[in-house]
Amino acid sequence: MNTLEIKGDWNIAKGKLKQKWANLTDNDLEFVVGKNDELFGRIQKCTGESLETIYKAVEEAISSNNA
């Protein structure tokens, strides 16, 4: 997943991720270009999920916007 894919539909994807993990805040999901690992780390810290699960959830949230 590249930066453009994340950035383009991020506001919609944030809503879907908040539905999946209600304890995430806007600050947790703040996207900064070039700092994807930091974003995924914040999500992992809040949810306790594996990075693999988080990557998959983000990809699903973004790809469902393009369907």
Side-chain angles (χ1 to χ4, degrees):
M1 156 180 14
N2 67 42
T3 301
L4 282 177
E5 288 175 319
I6 293 176
K7 187 176 180 186
D9 296 319
W10 188 241
N11 286 330
I12 296 168
K14 278 193 325 187
K16 291 180 180 185
L17 293 170
K18 284 172 147 181
Q19 287 176 346
K20 183 172 180 71
W21 295 302
N23 59 328
L24 290 174
T25 66
D26 285 333
N27 286 340
D28 296 328
L29 295 171
E30 183 179 341
F31 176 72
V32 178
V33 175
K35 297 198 175 190
N36 298 1
D37 291 338
E38 196 174 290
L39 168 68
F40 293 125
R42 285 193 307 265
I43 295 171
Q44 184 181 34
K45 183 178 178 182
C46 290
T47 64
E49 297 285 350
S50 70
L51 283 176
E52 183 178 314
T53 300
I54 294 165
Y55 284 125
K56 184 177 178 183
V58 170
E59 285 180 348
E60 287 174 358
I62 291 171
S63 66
S64 68
N65 295 336
N66 297 325

